[in-house]
Amino acid sequence: MLDLPILSLLIWLPIIGGLGVLIVGDRSGAKQFALGIALLTFVISLPLYTHFTPGTAEMQFVELIPWVEAFNINYHLGVDGISMPLILLNTFITVMVVVAGWEVITYRISQYMAAFLIMAGIVNGVFAALDAMLFYILFEAMLIPLFLIIGIWGGARRVYATIKFFLYTFLGSVFLLISLIYLYQLGGSFAVADLHKLPIDIVPQTLIFLSFLLAFGVKVPMWPVHTWLPDAHVEAPTGGSVILAAITLKVGGYAFLRFALPIVPDAAAQLDWLVIFMSLTAVVYIGFVALVQQDMKKLVAYSSIAHMGFVTLGFFTIYGIAKSQNVEGAMSSAILAIQGGMVQMVSHGFISGAMFLCIGVLYDRMHTRDINAYGGVANQMPTFAAFYVLFAMANTGLPGTSGFVGEFMVILASFRANPWIAFAAATTLIVGAAYTLWLVKRVMFGEVKNAEVAALQDIGRREFWMLAVLAGAVLLLGLWPQPLTDVMEVSIENLLSQALQSKLCAGLAGGC
């Protein structure tokens, strides 16, 4: 393990680099400076994987500095097999976003690039925070650059979209803050590890779980608190849509694993049916909503909600698995469920980011996202069409792509909990194929529809390599997911030992 404060570097380098980009301004070199910072941050994040010890559940690369000693709040950082892959995903996607905005952003360029760099640093902090108050501060701070990205560089209804996005996410977080303060009063510490060990009665557990569900469910987003996402995606610039789908949504899923399951396991077990119902509604119903969309961005936005439903479904089927199987079989199936949810999060980061980048390529040329305005694009842009079809197939869960792996793992694990849950979840493979192939058919194939399509030029080198790198990631994870599943397995086992252990008898002589 490295002795360098690598996590602090991953937080502060992009933040300070973003401020440096602002100082450089829109003069020549701002984009190059931003790309250099993004690439350096990504390179610095790689040792998190290469020097990671997968055989332990202990936090690694730990940094601990007292911050507000009167309230026992610390600058406490560390990663395990759950958070480390998400930091790598964040640093990787940030590079793609900077490259994506290279030519299409023509005003306030330095501010645009700076917002994404600062966002990257804050999100790295969210995934690395081991102090609950530090997590909360960063969890809220990430709203600011995203709010500016949509509000300044967004579409015609950007003000409406940003206010709706901010109100949904901020109001949900108010209940999170109340719960964290209650937990501090109960145990005298904001350390996440201490909160995991805190004995809590069932009524407070239930209220805390509901506050977590609201705060994190909005971020995922889960049905029925999902309505801000399509508006935000439609109005956001391409880079904003990519970072929103590929990174921001993952914060909600990660927070369920870090906070909800280990801190309030009894309430999570009692209310697992509620989360499963919300997840299945997202998977099935939102899939049908996507089917009728005429705006490409809105279709992919609804598809993101459906795919993220698999994540929360995988996380909360563990309680049904524990009830239906023996101890040994339950543990292996529960590991499979959470691994599936984690793989789905990483995979969705690649696929959704690629889909929005593809939509951005078309929008930059045609200045419309209306599906009816397209037709026969493959005739004019064959190279682009190959990438577009690959990412669309991955979005449907085609075997051999990353989209298949996570969904298959979740469906298999949920079958062991309840076959009907698995059956309902599997319908997304049909509905997802329906809306994705219908989109591909109308946009890519057939005769050239109009003069605007006939005038399209195929992608250049910048766009080619941007999409080629994402295609490689989608195929690599789809064909060889083991490097990802191996690093998270022991951390997931440790999480399950907490999530499946009742707290109601903690500290009682003789146990339950």
Side-chain angles (χ1 to χ4, degrees):
M1 194 180 298
L2 297 177
D3 293 328
L4 293 172
I6 189 168
L7 294 176
S8 286
L9 282 173
L10 291 174
I11 295 170
W12 294 108
L13 174 63
I15 291 175
I16 295 173
L19 297 176
V21 171
L22 289 176
I23 294 172
V24 171
D26 291 343
R27 298 186 297 273
S28 176
K31 292 186 288 188
Q32 290 81 354
F33 185 67
L35 180 60
I37 294 294
L39 284 170
L40 182 58
T41 304
F42 175 63
V43 171
I44 291 174
S45 71
L46 294 178
L48 289 181
Y49 185 86
T50 59
H51 289 72
F52 188 81
T53 304
T56 176
E58 296 296 321
M59 290 293 171
Q60 302 179 44
F61 305 96
V62 174
E63 301 173 36
L64 176 59
I65 301 173
W67 185 17
V68 186
E69 297 187 47
F71 296 101
N72 200 14
I73 301 174
N74 299 305
Y75 178 79
H76 192 186
L77 306 174
V79 294
D80 60 2
I82 295 171
S83 54
M84 180 269 289
L86 297 175
I87 292 178
L88 290 176
L89 176 67
N90 182 40
T91 58
F92 172 76
I93 292 295
T94 300
V95 176
M96 297 295 104
V97 166
V98 171
V99 173
W102 199 263
E103 295 177 359
V104 298
I105 300 300
T106 56
Y107 70 100
R108 296 185 176 180
I109 300 170
S110 61
Q111 296 173 31
Y112 179 85
M113 298 295 180
F116 282 107
L117 290 176
I118 293 170
M119 175 83 175
I122 294 171
V123 172
N124 284 339
V126 169
F127 290 136
L130 298 181
D131 183 280
M133 189 52 63
L134 177 63
F135 171 88
Y136 177 79
I137 292 169
L138 295 171
F139 186 78
E140 291 301 288
M142 62 183 285
L143 298 178
I144 299 171
L146 199 54
F147 181 90
L148 295 175
I149 289 165
I150 301 173
I152 296 174
W153 294 275
R157 299 177 71 241
R158 59 186 180 274
V159 174
Y160 167 77
T162 50
I163 291 175
K164 187 175 183 180
F165 158 69
F166 186 84
L167 288 177
Y168 265 74
T169 51
F170 182 76
L171 290 176
S173 300
V174 170
F175 296 96
L176 171 63
L177 177 61
I178 294 170
S179 293
L180 294 180
I181 293 173
Y182 173 81
L183 291 169
Y184 170 76
Q185 294 291 335
L186 205 59
S189 173
F190 281 112
V192 174
D194 293 338
L195 300 183
H196 289 177
K197 302 171 185 174
L198 200 61
I200 311 171
D201 290 335
I202 188 59
V203 173
Q205 273 201 50
T206 302
L207 295 175
I208 292 169
F209 177 80
L210 291 174
S211 72
F212 286 166
L213 180 60
L214 183 58
F216 305 146
V218 168
K219 274 285 200 298
V220 170
M222 301 178 70
W223 177 89
V225 289
H226 66 282
T227 58
W228 64 268
L229 184 67
D231 292 317
H233 269 307
V234 167
E235 300 306 323
T238 298
S241 291
V242 172
I243 212 74
L244 186 61
I247 303 301
T248 307
L249 308 189
K250 311 305 175 287
V251 171
Y254 166 78
F256 276 119
L257 295 182
R258 187 65 76 215
F259 289 88
L261 296 184
I263 293 178
V264 287
D266 300 284
Q270 286 194 3
L271 295 174
D272 64 336
W273 62 269
L274 175 61
V275 181
I276 290 171
F277 172 75
M278 294 167 69
S279 302
L280 289 176
T281 303
V283 168
V284 180
Y285 166 69
I286 299 298
F288 283 105
V289 174
L291 193 59
V292 300
Q293 300 304 314
Q294 294 301 314
D295 184 301
M296 285 190 286
K297 258 194 175 184
K298 191 166 280 192
L299 187 151
V300 177
Y302 279 113
S303 124
S304 289
I305 299 169
H307 288 301
M308 287 300 293
F310 267 97
V311 174
T312 49
L313 177 64
F315 292 168
F316 283 87
T317 53
I318 62 172
Y319 297 105
I321 292 170
K323 296 171 187 174
S324 64
Q325 297 190 349
N326 58 56
V327 175
E328 184 177 347
M331 181 58 75
S332 62
S333 299
I335 291 172
L336 181 68
I338 294 185
Q339 278 184 332
M342 279 294 301
V343 171
Q344 176 71 357
M345 282 207 289
V346 175
S347 167
H348 181 260
F350 294 143
I351 297 170
S352 65
M355 290 292 290
F356 281 114
L357 286 174
C358 286
I359 294 170
V361 167
L362 292 174
Y363 184 81
D364 293 340
R365 288 160 170 78
M366 295 270 291
H367 302 291
T368 180
R369 295 181 300 268
D370 186 357
I371 296 172
N372 293 323
Y374 294 88
V377 171
N379 297 301
Q380 308 303 118
M381 304 176 70
T383 304
F384 171 71
F387 284 119
Y388 192 93
V389 172
L390 170 64
F391 296 134
M393 293 300 98
N395 199 49
T396 66
L398 181 72
T401 66
S402 61
F404 172 76
V405 180
E407 292 184 2
F408 178 74
M409 294 170 75
V410 171
I411 290 172
L412 184 59
S414 61
F415 185 86
R416 296 174 182 177
N418 187 318
W420 289 109
I421 293 177
F423 174 79
T427 59
T428 192
L429 300 176
I430 301 171
V431 179
Y435 61 68
T436 305
L437 295 177
W438 183 228
L439 170 68
V440 171
K441 177 184 180 297
R442 288 180 288 172
V443 173
M444 286 291 139
F445 299 118
E447 298 296 324
V448 174
K449 190 165 189 179
N450 50 51
E452 288 79 8
V453 174
L456 289 175
Q457 298 292 318
D458 211 346
I459 52 176
R461 283 191 303 172
R462 175 185 64 87
E463 294 165 325
F464 175 84
W465 286 110
M466 176 179 68
L467 297 178
V469 170
L470 282 165
V474 168
L475 292 173
L476 181 63
L477 182 56
L479 297 171
W480 191 33
Q482 186 177 357
L484 177 59
T485 57
D486 281 354
V487 296
M488 66 176 69
E489 184 167 355
V490 176
S491 297
I492 289 174
E493 288 179 0
N494 180 63
L495 169 67
L496 286 170
S497 70
Q498 299 169 322
L500 299 177
Q501 176 65 46
S502 173
K503 284 189 172 186
L504 299 182
C505 306
L508 296 181
C512 292

